[in-house]
Coordinates of all heavy atoms in Angstrom, one line a residue:
W1 N 34.4 -91.2 28.0 CA 34.7 -92.0 26.9 C 33.7 -92.1 25.9 O 34.0 -92.2 24.7 CB 35.0 -93.5 27.4 CG 36.2 -93.6 28.2 CD1 37.2 -92.7 28.7 CD2 36.6 -94.9 28.8 NE1 38.1 -93.4 29.3 CE2 37.8 -94.7 29.5 CE3 36.0 -96.1 28.9 CZ2 38.4 -95.7 30.2 CZ3 36.7 -97.1 29.6 CH2 37.7 -96.8 30.2
L2 N 32.5 -92.1 26.3 CA 31.5 -92.2 25.3 C 31.4 -91.1 24.4 O 31.3 -91.4 23.1 CB 30.0 -92.2 25.9 CG 29.7 -93.4 26.9 CD1 28.3 -93.3 27.6 CD2 29.8 -94.7 26.2
H3 N 31.5 -89.8 24.8 CA 31.6 -88.7 23.8 C 32.9 -88.6 23.1 O 33.0 -88.5 21.8 CB 31.5 -87.4 24.6 CG 30.1 -87.3 25.2 ND1 29.9 -87.6 26.5 CD2 29.0 -86.9 24.6 CE1 28.6 -87.5 26.7 NE2 27.9 -87.0 25.6
K4 N 34.0 -89.1 23.6 CA 35.3 -89.2 23.0 C 35.3 -90.2 21.8 O 35.7 -90.1 20.8 CB 36.5 -89.3 23.9 CG 37.8 -89.2 23.2 CD 38.9 -89.3 24.3 CE 40.3 -89.0 23.6 NZ 41.4 -89.1 24.6
A5 N 34.7 -91.4 22.2 CA 34.5 -92.3 21.2 C 33.7 -92.1 20.0 O 34.0 -92.4 18.8 CB 34.0 -93.7 21.9
A6 N 32.7 -91.2 20.2 CA 31.9 -90.8 19.1 C 32.5 -89.7 18.3 O 32.0 -89.4 17.2 CB 30.5 -90.4 19.6
Y7 N 33.5 -89.0 18.8 CA 34.0 -87.8 18.2 C 34.4 -88.1 16.7 O 34.2 -87.4 15.8 CB 35.2 -87.3 18.8 CG 35.7 -86.0 18.3 CD1 35.2 -84.9 18.6 CD2 36.9 -86.0 17.5 CE1 35.6 -83.7 18.1 CE2 37.3 -84.9 17.1 CZ 36.7 -83.7 17.2 OH 37.3 -82.5 16.6
S8 N 35.0 -89.3 16.4 CA 35.7 -89.5 15.1 C 34.5 -89.9 14.2 O 34.8 -89.8 13.0 CB 36.7 -90.7 15.2 OG 35.9 -91.9 15.6
C9 N 33.4 -90.3 14.6 CA 32.4 -90.7 13.6 C 31.1 -90.0 14.0 O 30.0 -90.5 13.7 CB 32.3 -92.2 13.6 SG 32.1 -93.0 15.3
A10 N 31.1 -88.9 14.6 CA 29.8 -88.2 15.2 C 28.9 -87.9 14.0 O 27.7 -88.3 14.2 CB 30.2 -87.0 15.8
E11 N 29.2 -87.3 13.0 CA 28.4 -87.0 11.9 C 27.6 -88.2 11.4 O 26.3 -88.4 11.2 CB 29.0 -86.4 10.7 CG 28.0 -86.0 9.6 CD 28.8 -85.3 8.4 OE1 30.0 -85.0 8.5 OE2 28.0 -85.1 7.5
R12 N 28.4 -89.5 11.1 CA 27.7 -90.6 10.7 C 26.7 -91.2 11.7 O 25.6 -91.7 11.3 CB 28.8 -91.6 10.2 CG 29.5 -91.0 8.9 CD 30.7 -91.7 8.5 NE 30.8 -93.1 8.8 CZ 31.9 -93.7 9.1 NH1 33.1 -93.0 9.3 NH2 31.9 -95.0 9.5
L13 N 27.2 -91.1 12.9 CA 26.3 -91.7 14.0 C 25.0 -90.9 14.1 O 23.9 -91.4 14.2 CB 27.1 -91.7 15.4 CG 28.0 -92.8 15.5 CD1 28.9 -92.4 16.9 CD2 27.6 -94.2 15.5
V14 N 25.1 -89.6 14.1 CA 24.0 -88.8 14.2 C 23.1 -89.0 13.0 O 21.8 -89.1 13.2 CB 24.3 -87.2 14.3 CG1 23.1 -86.3 14.2 CG2 25.1 -86.9 15.6
E15 N 23.6 -88.8 11.8 CA 22.7 -89.0 10.5 C 22.0 -90.4 10.5 O 20.8 -90.3 10.2 CB 23.6 -88.7 9.3 CG 24.0 -87.3 9.1 CD 22.7 -86.2 9.2 OE1 21.6 -86.6 8.7 OE2 23.0 -85.1 9.4
S16 N 22.7 -91.4 11.0 CA 22.1 -92.7 10.9 C 21.0 -92.8 11.9 O 19.8 -93.4 11.7 CB 23.1 -93.9 11.0 OG 23.8 -93.8 12.3
T17 N 21.3 -92.2 13.1 CA 20.2 -92.2 14.2 C 19.0 -91.5 13.7 O 17.8 -91.9 13.9 CB 20.8 -91.6 15.5 OG1 21.9 -92.5 15.9 CG2 19.7 -91.6 16.5
E18 N 19.3 -90.4 13.1 CA 18.1 -89.4 12.7 C 17.4 -90.0 11.6 O 16.1 -89.8 11.5 CB 18.7 -88.0 12.3 CG 19.0 -87.2 13.5 CD 18.0 -86.9 14.5 OE1 16.9 -86.6 14.1 OE2 18.2 -87.0 15.7
N19 N 18.0 -90.9 10.7 CA 17.4 -91.4 9.5 C 16.8 -92.8 9.9 O 16.1 -93.4 9.0 CB 18.4 -91.6 8.4 CG 18.8 -90.2 7.9 OD1 18.1 -89.2 7.9 ND2 20.0 -90.1 7.5
G20 N 16.9 -93.4 11.1 CA 16.5 -94.6 11.5 C 17.2 -95.9 10.8 O 16.7 -96.8 10.6
T21 N 18.4 -95.5 10.4 CA 19.3 -96.5 9.7 C 20.5 -96.9 10.5 O 20.6 -96.3 11.8 CB 19.8 -96.0 8.4 OG1 20.7 -94.9 8.6 CG2 18.6 -95.7 7.3
R22 N 21.4 -97.7 10.2 CA 22.6 -98.2 10.9 C 23.8 -97.8 10.0 O 23.7 -98.1 8.8 CB 22.5 -99.6 11.3 CG 21.4 -99.8 12.3 CD 21.4 -101.2 12.9 NE 22.7 -101.5 13.6 CZ 23.3 -102.5 13.9 NH1 22.7 -103.6 13.4 NH2 24.5 -102.7 14.6
D23 N 24.8 -97.5 10.6 CA 26.1 -97.2 10.0 C 27.0 -98.2 10.6 O 27.7 -97.8 11.5 CB 26.5 -95.8 10.0 CG 27.9 -95.5 9.3 OD1 28.7 -96.4 9.2 OD2 28.0 -94.3 8.7
A24 N 27.3 -99.4 10.0 CA 28.0 -100.4 10.6 C 29.5 -100.0 10.9 O 30.2 -100.3 11.9 CB 27.9 -101.7 9.9
S25 N 30.0 -99.2 10.0 CA 31.3 -98.8 10.1 C 31.6 -97.7 11.2 O 32.5 -97.9 12.0 CB 31.8 -98.1 8.8 OG 33.1 -97.6 8.8
A26 N 30.7 -96.8 11.3 CA 30.7 -95.9 12.4 C 30.5 -96.6 13.7 O 31.2 -96.4 14.7 CB 29.6 -94.8 12.2
E27 N 29.5 -97.6 13.8 CA 29.3 -98.3 15.1 C 30.5 -99.1 15.5 O 30.9 -99.2 16.6 CB 28.1 -99.2 14.9 CG 26.7 -98.4 14.8 CD 25.6 -99.3 14.5 OE1 25.8 -100.6 14.3 OE2 24.5 -98.7 14.3
G28 N 31.1 -99.7 14.5 CA 32.4 -100.5 14.7 C 33.5 -99.7 15.3 O 34.2 -100.1 16.2
S29 N 33.7 -98.4 14.7 CA 34.7 -97.5 15.2 C 34.4 -97.2 16.7 O 35.3 -97.1 17.5 CB 34.7 -96.2 14.3 OG 35.1 -96.6 13.1
Y30 N 33.2 -96.8 16.9 CA 32.8 -96.4 18.2 C 33.1 -97.6 19.2 O 33.6 -97.5 20.2 CB 31.3 -96.0 18.3 CG 30.7 -95.7 19.5 CD1 30.9 -94.3 19.9 CD2 30.0 -96.5 20.3 CE1 30.3 -93.8 21.2 CE2 29.4 -96.1 21.6 CZ 29.6 -94.9 21.9 OH 29.1 -94.3 23.1
C31 N 32.7 -98.7 18.9 CA 32.8 -99.9 19.7 C 34.3 -100.3 20.0 O 34.6 -100.6 21.1 CB 32.0 -101.1 19.2 SG 30.3 -101.0 19.3
R32 N 35.1 -100.2 18.8 CA 36.5 -100.7 19.1 C 37.1 -99.7 20.0 O 38.0 -100.1 20.9 CB 37.2 -100.6 17.7 CG 37.0 -101.8 16.8 CD 37.8 -101.9 15.6 NE 37.5 -100.8 14.7 CZ 36.4 -100.8 13.8 NH1 35.6 -101.8 13.8 NH2 36.3 -99.7 13.0
Y33 N 36.9 -98.3 19.9 CA 37.4 -97.4 20.9 C 37.0 -97.7 22.3 O 37.9 -97.8 23.2 CB 36.9 -95.9 20.5 CG 37.7 -94.8 21.4 CD1 38.7 -94.4 21.0 CD2 36.9 -94.5 22.6 CE1 39.4 -93.5 21.8 CE2 37.6 -93.5 23.4 CZ 38.8 -93.0 23.0 OH 39.4 -92.1 23.9
M34 N 35.8 -98.0 22.5 CA 35.3 -98.3 23.9 C 35.9 -99.5 24.4 O 36.4 -99.6 25.5 CB 33.8 -98.5 23.9 CG 33.0 -97.2 23.8 SD 33.3 -95.9 25.0 CE 32.8 -96.8 26.4
I35 N 35.9 -100.5 23.6 CA 36.6 -101.8 24.0 C 38.1 -101.7 24.3 O 38.6 -102.2 25.3 CB 36.4 -102.9 23.0 CG1 34.9 -103.3 22.9 CG2 37.3 -104.2 23.1 CD1 34.5 -104.1 21.7
G36 N 38.7 -100.9 23.5 CA 40.2 -100.5 23.8 C 40.4 -99.9 25.0 O 41.3 -100.3 25.8
R37 N 39.5 -98.9 25.5 CA 39.7 -98.2 26.8 C 39.4 -99.3 28.0 O 40.1 -99.2 28.9 CB 38.8 -97.0 26.8 CG 38.9 -95.9 25.9 CD 40.3 -95.3 25.9 NE 41.3 -95.9 25.2 CZ 41.7 -96.2 24.1 NH1 40.9 -95.5 23.1 NH2 42.7 -96.9 23.7
C38 N 38.4 -100.2 27.7 CA 38.0 -101.1 28.7 C 39.2 -102.0 28.9 O 39.7 -102.4 30.0 CB 36.8 -101.8 28.4 SG 35.3 -100.8 28.5
D39 N 39.9 -102.5 27.8 CA 41.1 -103.3 27.9 C 42.2 -102.8 28.7 O 42.9 -103.3 29.4 CB 41.5 -103.7 26.4 CG 40.7 -104.8 25.6 OD1 39.9 -105.5 26.5 OD2 40.9 -104.9 24.6
E40 N 42.4 -101.4 28.4 CA 43.5 -100.7 29.2 C 43.1 -100.8 30.6 O 44.1 -100.9 31.4 CB 43.5 -99.2 28.7 CG 44.1 -99.1 27.4 CD 44.3 -97.6 26.9 OE1 44.1 -96.7 27.9 OE2 44.5 -97.3 25.7
L41 N 41.9 -100.5 31.0 CA 41.6 -100.6 32.4 C 41.8 -101.9 33.1 O 42.3 -102.0 34.2 CB 40.0 -100.2 32.8 CG 39.8 -98.7 32.7 CD1 38.3 -98.5 32.9 CD2 40.6 -98.0 33.8
L42 N 41.5 -102.9 32.2 CA 41.6 -104.3 32.8 C 43.2 -104.8 32.8 O 43.6 -105.3 33.8 CB 40.9 -105.2 31.9 CG 39.3 -105.1 31.9 CD1 38.7 -105.9 30.8 CD2 38.8 -105.6 33.3
S43 N 43.9 -104.3 31.9 CA 45.2 -104.8 31.8 C 46.2 -103.9 32.7 O 47.2 -104.3 33.2 CB 45.8 -104.9 30.4 OG 45.7 -103.7 29.7
R44 N 46.1 -102.5 32.7 CA 47.0 -101.7 33.2 C 46.5 -101.0 34.5 O 47.4 -100.5 35.2 CB 47.2 -100.6 32.3 CG 47.8 -100.9 30.9 CD 48.0 -99.8 30.0 NE 48.5 -100.2 28.8 CZ 48.7 -99.5 27.7 NH1 48.3 -98.2 27.7 NH2 49.1 -100.1 26.6
A45 N 45.3 -100.9 34.9 CA 44.8 -100.2 36.1 C 44.4 -101.2 37.1 O 43.9 -100.8 38.1 CB 43.7 -99.2 35.7
G46 N 44.6 -102.5 36.9 CA 44.2 -103.4 38.0 C 42.7 -103.6 38.2 O 42.3 -104.1 39.3
V47 N 41.9 -103.1 37.3 CA 40.5 -103.3 37.3 C 40.1 -104.8 37.0 O 40.6 -105.3 36.0 CB 39.6 -102.4 36.4 CG1 38.3 -102.5 36.3 CG2 40.1 -100.9 36.8
D48 N 39.2 -105.3 37.8 CA 39.0 -106.8 37.6 C 37.7 -107.1 36.7 O 37.7 -107.8 35.9 CB 38.5 -107.3 39.0 CG 39.8 -107.6 39.9 OD1 40.9 -107.7 39.3 OD2 39.5 -107.4 41.1
K49 N 36.7 -106.1 36.8 CA 35.5 -106.3 35.9 C 35.0 -104.8 35.5 O 35.2 -103.9 36.2 CB 34.2 -106.9 36.7 CG 34.6 -108.3 37.1 CD 33.4 -108.9 38.0 CE 33.8 -110.3 38.4 NZ 32.8 -110.9 39.2
I50 N 34.3 -104.9 34.3 CA 33.7 -103.7 33.9 C 32.4 -104.0 33.4 O 32.1 -105.0 32.7 CB 34.5 -103.0 32.7 CG1 35.8 -102.7 33.2 CG2 33.7 -101.9 32.1 CD1 36.8 -102.1 32.1
Y51 N 31.4 -103.3 33.8 CA 30.0 -103.4 33.4 C 29.5 -102.2 32.6 O 29.5 -101.1 33.2 CB 29.1 -103.7 34.6 CG 29.3 -104.9 35.3 CD1 30.1 -104.9 36.5 CD2 28.9 -106.2 35.0 CE1 30.5 -106.0 37.3 CE2 29.2 -107.3 35.7 CZ 29.9 -107.3 36.8 OH 30.2 -108.3 37.6
L52 N 29.3 -102.4 31.4 CA 28.7 -101.2 30.6 C 27.2 -101.5 30.3 O 26.8 -102.6 29.7 CB 29.4 -101.3 29.2 CG 31.0 -100.9 29.3 CD1 31.7 -101.0 27.9 CD2 31.3 -99.6 29.9
V53 N 26.3 -100.6 30.6 CA 25.0 -100.8 30.4 C 24.4 -99.6 29.6 O 24.7 -98.5 29.9 CB 24.2 -100.7 31.8 CG1 22.8 -100.9 31.6 CG2 24.7 -101.8 32.8
F54 N 23.8 -100.0 28.3 CA 23.3 -99.1 27.4 C 21.7 -99.5 27.3 O 21.5 -100.2 26.5 CB 23.9 -99.2 26.1 CG 25.4 -98.8 26.2 CD1 26.3 -99.9 26.3 CD2 25.8 -97.6 26.1 CE1 27.7 -99.5 26.3 CE2 27.2 -97.2 26.0 CZ 28.2 -98.2 26.3
D55 N 21.0 -99.0 28.2 CA 19.6 -99.5 28.2 C 18.6 -98.5 27.4 O 17.7 -98.9 26.9 CB 19.0 -99.8 29.6 CG 19.0 -98.6 30.5 OD1 19.3 -97.5 30.1 OD2 18.5 -98.6 31.5
G56 N 18.9 -97.2 27.4 CA 18.3 -96.3 26.7 C 16.9 -95.9 27.2 O 16.0 -95.3 26.6
V57 N 16.5 -96.6 28.3 CA 15.2 -96.2 28.9 C 15.2 -94.8 29.6 O 16.1 -94.5 30.3 CB 14.9 -97.3 30.1 CG1 13.6 -97.0 30.7 CG2 14.8 -98.7 29.4
R58 N 14.2 -94.1 29.1 CA 14.0 -92.7 29.7 C 13.4 -92.8 31.1 O 12.5 -93.6 31.4 CB 13.1 -91.9 28.8 CG 13.6 -91.7 27.5 CD 14.7 -90.7 27.4 NE 15.1 -90.5 26.1 CZ 15.9 -89.5 25.7 NH1 16.2 -88.7 26.6 NH2 16.2 -89.4 24.4
V59 N 13.7 -92.0 32.1 CA 13.4 -91.9 33.4 C 12.1 -91.0 33.4 O 12.3 -89.8 33.1 CB 14.4 -91.4 34.4 CG1 14.0 -91.4 35.7 CG2 15.6 -92.4 34.3
P60 N 10.9 -91.4 33.8 CA 9.8 -90.6 33.8 C 9.9 -89.4 34.6 O 9.3 -88.3 34.2 CB 8.7 -91.5 34.3 CG 9.1 -92.9 34.1 CD 10.6 -92.8 34.2
L61 N 10.5 -89.3 35.8 CA 10.8 -88.2 36.5 C 11.5 -87.1 35.9 O 11.3 -85.9 36.1 CB 11.5 -88.6 37.9 CG 11.7 -87.6 38.9 CD1 10.2 -87.1 39.3 CD2 12.4 -88.2 40.0
K62 N 12.3 -87.5 34.8 CA 13.0 -86.5 34.1 C 12.4 -86.1 32.8 O 13.1 -85.6 31.9 CB 14.5 -86.9 33.9 CG 15.3 -87.1 35.0 CD 16.6 -87.7 34.8 CE 17.4 -86.9 33.9 NZ 18.7 -87.5 33.5
S63 N 11.1 -86.3 32.6 CA 10.4 -86.1 31.4 C 10.5 -84.6 30.8 O 10.8 -84.4 29.7 CB 9.0 -86.5 31.3 OG 8.3 -85.6 32.2
G64 N 10.6 -83.6 31.7 CA 10.7 -82.3 31.3 C 12.1 -82.0 30.9 O 12.2 -81.2 29.9
T65 N 13.1 -82.4 31.7 CA 14.4 -82.3 31.1 C 14.7 -83.0 29.9 O 15.4 -82.4 29.0 CB 15.4 -82.9 32.3 OG1 15.1 -82.2 33.4 CG2 16.9 -82.8 32.0
N66 N 14.2 -84.3 29.7 CA 14.3 -84.9 28.4 C 13.8 -84.2 27.3 O 14.4 -84.1 26.2 CB 13.9 -86.3 28.5 CG 14.5 -87.2 29.5 OD1 15.7 -86.9 29.6 ND2 14.0 -88.2 30.0
T67 N 12.6 -83.5 27.4 CA 12.0 -82.7 26.4 C 12.9 -81.6 26.0 O 13.0 -81.3 24.9 CB 10.6 -82.2 27.0 OG1 9.7 -83.5 27.1 CG2 9.9 -81.5 25.8
E68 N 13.4 -80.9 27.1 CA 14.3 -79.7 26.8 C 15.6 -80.2 26.1 O 15.9 -79.5 25.1 CB 14.6 -79.1 28.2 CG 13.5 -78.3 28.7 CD 13.8 -77.9 30.1 OE1 15.0 -77.9 30.5 OE2 12.9 -77.5 30.9
R69 N 16.0 -81.2 26.5 CA 17.3 -81.8 25.8 C 17.0 -82.1 24.4 O 17.8 -81.9 23.5 CB 17.9 -83.0 26.7 CG 18.5 -82.6 27.9 CD 18.9 -83.7 28.7 NE 19.6 -83.4 29.8 CZ 19.9 -84.4 30.9 NH1 19.8 -85.6 30.7 NH2 20.5 -83.8 32.0
E70 N 15.9 -82.8 24.1 CA 15.6 -83.2 22.7 C 15.4 -81.9 21.9 O 15.8 -81.8 20.7 CB 14.4 -84.1 22.7 CG 14.0 -84.6 21.3 CD 15.1 -85.3 20.6 OE1 16.0 -86.0 21.3 OE2 15.2 -85.3 19.4
A71 N 14.7 -80.9 22.5 CA 14.5 -79.7 21.6 C 15.9 -79.0 21.2 O 16.2 -78.6 20.1 CB 13.6 -78.7 22.4
K72 N 16.8 -79.0 22.3 CA 18.1 -78.4 22.1 C 18.9 -79.4 21.0 O 19.7 -78.9 20.1 CB 18.9 -78.4 23.4 CG 20.2 -77.7 23.3 CD 20.0 -76.2 23.0 CE 21.4 -75.6 23.2 NZ 21.3 -74.2 22.7
R73 N 18.8 -80.7 21.1 CA 19.5 -81.5 20.2 C 19.0 -81.3 18.8 O 19.8 -81.2 17.8 CB 19.2 -83.0 20.5 CG 20.1 -83.6 21.4 CD 19.8 -85.2 21.6 NE 20.1 -85.5 22.9 CZ 19.2 -85.9 23.8 NH1 17.9 -85.8 23.5 NH2 19.5 -86.2 25.0
Q74 N 17.7 -81.1 18.5 CA 17.2 -80.8 17.2 C 17.6 -79.5 16.7 O 17.9 -79.2 15.6 CB 15.7 -80.9 17.3 CG 15.1 -82.4 17.5 CD 15.6 -83.3 16.4 OE1 15.7 -83.0 15.3 NE2 16.1 -84.4 16.9
E75 N 17.6 -78.5 17.6 CA 18.1 -77.1 17.2 C 19.5 -77.3 16.8 O 20.1 -76.6 15.7 CB 18.0 -76.2 18.4 CG 18.5 -74.8 18.3 CD 18.5 -74.0 19.5 OE1 17.7 -74.1 20.4 OE2 19.3 -73.2 19.7
N76 N 20.4 -77.9 17.6 CA 21.8 -78.1 17.2 C 21.9 -79.0 16.0 O 23.0 -78.6 15.2 CB 22.6 -78.8 18.4 CG 22.7 -77.9 19.6 OD1 22.7 -76.7 19.5 ND2 22.9 -78.5 20.8
L77 N 21.1 -79.8 15.7 CA 21.3 -80.6 14.6 C 20.9 -79.7 13.2 O 21.6 -79.9 12.3 CB 20.2 -81.8 14.5 CG 20.3 -82.8 13.3 CD1 21.7 -83.4 13.1 CD2 19.3 -83.9 13.5
R78 N 19.9 -78.9 13.4 CA 19.6 -78.1 12.2 C 20.8 -77.1 12.1 O 21.2 -76.9 10.9 CB 18.3 -77.2 12.5 CG 17.1 -78.0 12.3 CD 15.8 -77.1 12.5 NE 15.6 -76.6 13.9 CZ 15.1 -77.1 14.8 NH1 14.6 -78.3 14.8 NH2 15.1 -76.5 16.0
E79 N 21.3 -76.6 13.1 CA 22.6 -75.7 12.9 C 23.7 -76.4 12.2 O 24.4 -75.8 11.5 CB 22.9 -75.0 14.2 CG 24.1 -74.1 14.2 CD 23.8 -72.8 13.3 OE1 22.7 -72.6 12.8 OE2 24.8 -72.0 13.2
A80 N 24.0 -77.5 12.7 CA 25.1 -78.3 12.2 C 24.9 -78.6 10.7 O 25.8 -78.5 9.9 CB 25.2 -79.6 12.9
R81 N 23.7 -79.0 10.3 CA 23.4 -79.2 9.0 C 23.5 -78.1 8.1 O 24.0 -78.0 6.9 CB 22.1 -79.8 8.8 CG 22.0 -81.3 9.2 CD 20.6 -81.9 9.1 NE 20.5 -83.3 9.4 CZ 19.6 -84.0 9.8 NH1 18.3 -83.4 9.9 NH2 19.5 -85.3 10.0
R82 N 23.1 -76.8 8.7 CA 23.1 -75.6 8.0 C 24.6 -75.3 7.6 O 25.1 -74.8 6.6 CB 22.4 -74.4 8.7 CG 22.6 -73.2 8.1 CD 22.0 -72.1 8.9 NE 23.0 -71.6 10.1 CZ 23.9 -70.8 9.9 NH1 24.2 -70.3 8.7 NH2 24.8 -70.6 10.9
L83 N 25.5 -75.5 8.8 CA 26.9 -75.1 8.6 C 27.7 -76.1 7.7 O 28.5 -75.7 6.8 CB 27.5 -75.1 9.9 CG 27.2 -74.0 10.9 CD1 27.6 -74.3 12.4 CD2 27.5 -72.6 10.4
M84 N 27.1 -77.4 7.6 CA 27.8 -78.3 6.7 C 27.4 -78.0 5.1 O 28.3 -78.0 4.4 CB 27.2 -79.7 6.9 CG 27.8 -80.4 8.2 SD 29.4 -80.7 8.2 CE 29.4 -82.0 7.0
R85 N 26.3 -77.4 5.0 CA 25.9 -77.0 3.7 C 26.8 -75.8 3.2 O 27.1 -75.6 2.0 CB 24.4 -76.6 3.6 CG 23.4 -77.7 3.5 CD 22.1 -77.3 3.2 NE 21.4 -76.3 4.2 CZ 20.8 -76.7 5.2 NH1 20.6 -77.9 5.6 NH2 20.3 -75.7 6.0
L86 N 27.2 -74.9 4.2 CA 27.9 -73.9 3.9 C 29.4 -74.1 3.6 O 30.2 -73.3 3.0 CB 28.0 -72.7 5.0 CG 26.5 -72.1 5.1 CD1 26.5 -71.2 6.5 CD2 26.1 -71.3 4.0
G87 N 29.7 -75.4 4.0 CA 31.3 -75.8 3.9 C 32.1 -75.4 5.1 O 33.0 -75.3 5.1

């Protein structure tokens, strides 16, 4: 759900994160989607409680993996921006 929720506003979420700013509209879209899915589970699937945890803390044991992932993210971001300029 996290990735699907971000799909509709991915560019705005990425750019605001990279620029150190906030895009309240994109964040609202993202949150509304997530809350909607949680509401479905609670009302239709018989789920009693849902706990969503977004702590953002990096695990030291995975520092090598995190470094590789960040390098790949930056590479993909550069490519996405290049393609956006091309139209």
Side-chain angles (χ1 to χ4, degrees):
W1 292 352
L2 296 176
H3 293 97
K4 190 173 181 180
Y7 184 78
S8 68
C9 51
E11 180 182 357
R12 291 175 22 223
L13 287 172
V14 168
E15 291 299 337
S16 65
T17 299
E18 289 297 312
N19 295 326
T21 61
R22 293 188 63 202
D23 183 327
S25 176
E27 291 172 4
S29 295
Y30 181 83
C31 290
R32 280 189 298 280
Y33 183 88
M34 290 298 298
I35 290 169
R37 300 299 71 78
C38 290
D39 283 343
E40 285 181 17
L41 283 176
L42 292 168
S43 64
R44 299 181 186 169
V47 173
D48 293 326
K49 294 179 184 178
I50 298 173
Y51 298 97
L52 300 175
V53 178
F54 300 94
D55 64 1
V57 177
R58 300 281 182 169
V59 178
L61 188 59
K62 292 176 59 179
S63 64
T65 300
N66 290 336
T67 301
E68 291 171 11
R69 287 179 180 169
E70 183 58 30
K72 187 68 174 171
R73 275 188 211 100
Q74 291 303 315
E75 178 185 326
N76 289 337
L77 180 59
R78 282 190 298 276
E79 178 66 3
R81 285 177 174 161
R82 184 186 72 79
L83 292 172
M84 289 293 290
R85 283 192 302 273
L86 294 175

